[in-house]
Amino acid sequence: MDGGSPMQISTPNEDPVPRVLQDAIGVNLAVDVDGAPEHLQQGLQQIIGSHNVAYFAQTSSAQAEHVWSVQFEHTEDVASGTFDVRSVTGQVPQITVRYNRTIDAFRALGQVLTAARAAEVAALTNPSALQTPDFTISESAQFETLALMIDCSRNGVLNVNSVRAMLRNMALMGYTMLQLYTEDTYKVEGEPFFGYLRGGYTHDELRAIDDYAFAMGIEVVACIQTLGHLGQMLQWPRYAGLRDTNEVILSRAPETYAFLEKLIKAASAPLRSKRIHIGMDEAYGVGEGRFRGLYGQVEGTAIFVEHLGRVHAICAQLGLRAMIWSDMLFCLAAKNNALYAYYDQSNNPAEALSRVEGIPRDIDLVFWDYYHTQPEIYARKIQQHKDLGCNSPWMAGGAWTWSRLWCHVPFSFESNRASLIAAKSQPGRVASFMLTIWGDEGNECDFFSALPVMLYVANHAHTDKSEIDAVFMENAFAAVCGGSLGDWMAASGVDELPQPNEARAQMPSNMSKWLLWEDPMLSFMSPQYAGLALDEHYAGTASRLLDCALAPNTRYPLNRLLRMPGLLARVLSLKCNLRDRLARPYKAGDRTALLQVAETRLRPLIEAQRELWLYHRARWMRIYKPFGWETLELRYGGLAARLHTMYDRIVAYALCLPCSALRKSRAVGVAAGVSRHPALLPGRSRLPSLTVPFDSAGDVSGPSMSADAGSGLSMGEVPAWLPSITSADSSDDPAAMSMGLGWPVTACTSSLPACTIPACGPLQSHADTSAPAPLPVLTALPATSDTDNVTTINALGVRELGGEGDFWLQPAPLLPPELDPQDSFPRDIGCLGEEDMGTVIDSIPELEEDLLCIYENSYTSLLLDYGRVTAPSRLG
């Protein structure tokens, strides 16, 4: 990018070109928490104890060679919204932060982290950059309020820990306000159907969030709806009397305002703030439903302004200053509900409002526009808001997280750049800017994928320049968030078509969403990407992202989250053009080629889709409340069913067999091989549905699957690495028993001792199927934890987790206490049952998604080699 950095780091002889750093952190910050002003201490402890901990001397697992001491000084000599940072060289370099507002101290700490990262880069050519840092940092906030709004109403309700993680990022970036958008996802006393089964926040949860934010100088403001977007509530018969339309509450009715007063009190009571966002956007059809039958036909603007006045009066009575989204003022005036009416430069609602009693003067209007990339468009619309009597409207931009599975970072940069330039420049300058993170269409997106956009907006909001230096952004994202900006930008490739010359539209593509959920047999999207090399595009994207996500990396711990777009890209690389690949041999009558496509692309697609589903589920349970996942799981389930049906019909056609015969053949084949069927879980099924017979010597007999196979149609030889199986109770008659095997297993080469994994399921007598299941067999473990010659194919089929990975996970049977072989385990190996999972996840949070995925899918205990776990990170 062109332009200067929003802060200047003057490191002698710095060469910005080489940026290849070792994995280890080169400098630790020793923050003087006890010596800091009292109002900072709790917030500093929250940051140091839980955020990108490798950079802090108190929490880093490996002490860096260089240490910088950081001190804070609160002073009125520094203007509100500004700070300055100075370094003094010495045996231990001293960094002093002088600030006024609490949030400015934390923004300054984020900039010190960035300076440390920049010094590490400079040290590649100038080793003294770390030992004798020489820099000054000075910034001024361009807005009185820099807010982040997070959608918690479209299925995904961030759990409290995730909100805290967001708040830590916000503090280091300099955000002053958090709004959690809650249509019906907060508890209201005496209203059990308000937010029923939606995972709403309790009073105590909101209070805990407010306390956590307050310690870092962040204001938490209630953000609710008081007119439209109330369909989740209005669907219940309990609220039929409050219904105008399916989405809009009934204006003018006295009972409506009594109810809205309860909502406003419930949402604002747990919070310190005396501000509240009362919504009122996209209230399409206001006055067109039951209102018309009760009160006759009234012009829409008049209804809106009357309703706004009454809700404003409730807020004023409670001592709250309200803000609303401004779009309905423009759409009602134009008598057009489309976004075009809102953004039409010629549409000014001042004339329509002149015919009714005006909007209250102390209502703040929030102008939202996430689409345009020219600053002048935003500037003209800001002026129209001022013409309505709102002298200082808010400007709201968006991180493109809605209707997609990963944030579209490049377009978010473009659109927010334009709105920020307009918002901080005369004559359109405003005092408040808000970044929104929406979750429309099921909230499929991981909201933490918006972190680069959050950082970009925050950096823009602390400089008067129109551009942000690219190297500065790269260093800041690595130091503050813990990720590689280039890799995170590449993740947007899941929605970027390989058309470099294509003109940028006003909306970025969400190609990945349509490709993922479209019917694989009908494939109606195929004509849209005909002639594009999507296979290669998505395969390359998947390879890069999965390499980044699965590689152990202390410097970029946040890169582990790139596994989600990496798995998505892998699915799309197999799914795009699938119908065309099948149609060609079908039309040519080439059944052999048809079967080959089914086996080499469709079957791997089924497995890749399963892995994506399992990881997405684990990630959801990590960051959101469980409510709402059912919507996405139905989509995954429907896709899986269609893929299986597609595979069955194609294989049956290729083999000239009816599907019924194919199903029978498959059942026989799977019963003779290794399976991943969940019925093998002890306690979930009386009988293992899939079994492997073995002879009296304990060896596996009969045909089995090959190591890379997953279908019952494969009848290959028994893999050489498959361990022998012995009964836990020698008194049992092996010839009369069968054992369920969990697939996949840990495969060891002949250079290692005989080892691993036996059954996930219990031994079960063929003769007496009603008898209780005997105990599962014991596990023989490798004599060494050296996994150089071990390939781990876990329950997700993620081979990268073993061997060169940063940890080693291996299925093991659930054993009763009397048979638990922990005493015979190698040193540093522990057996993890379900009751232990929480403890492990708390101590190694960056492994949570993997632990939950593998544990939930393998239906076994887990073995975790602690010696191969990297430094913990708790970035979210």
Side-chain angles (χ1 to χ4, degrees), residues 7-16 68 87 89 95 111-112 114-137 475:
M7 75 172 189
Q8 300 300 323
I9 303 176
S10 54
T11 306
N13 302 320
E14 177 177 345
D15 182 356
W68 297 354
S87 64
T89 59
I95 313 297
Q111 299 310 287
V112 173
T114 303
R117 160 76 182 199
E120 288 180 301
V121 174
L124 294 174
T125 55
N126 177 23
S128 66
L130 289 173
Q131 186 175 356
T132 58
D134 182 15
F135 61 84
T136 61
I137 307 171
N475 289 333

Side-chain angles (χ1 to χ4, degrees), residues 664-674 691 703-705 711-715:
K664 182 177 180 180
S665 172
R666 173 173 298 171
V668 172
V670 174
V674 184
T691 62
S704 179
M705 312 279 288
S711 148
L713 293 176
S714 177
M715 303 294 286

Side-chain angles (χ1 to χ4, degrees), residues 81 112 125 161 183-184 227 292 320 331 337 357 378 405 444 449 481 495 547 568 618 639 650 655 685 755:
V112 173
T125 55
N161 284 336
E183 294 173 356
D184 66 330
L227 183 57
R292 180 177 295 182
L320 299 171
C331 292
N337 288 335
E357 186 176 346
Y378 293 92
L405 284 85
E444 297 154 325
S449 66
C481 300
D495 283 323
D547 284 347
L568 173 61
L639 176 59
I650 289 171
L655 297 178
S685 175
C755 64

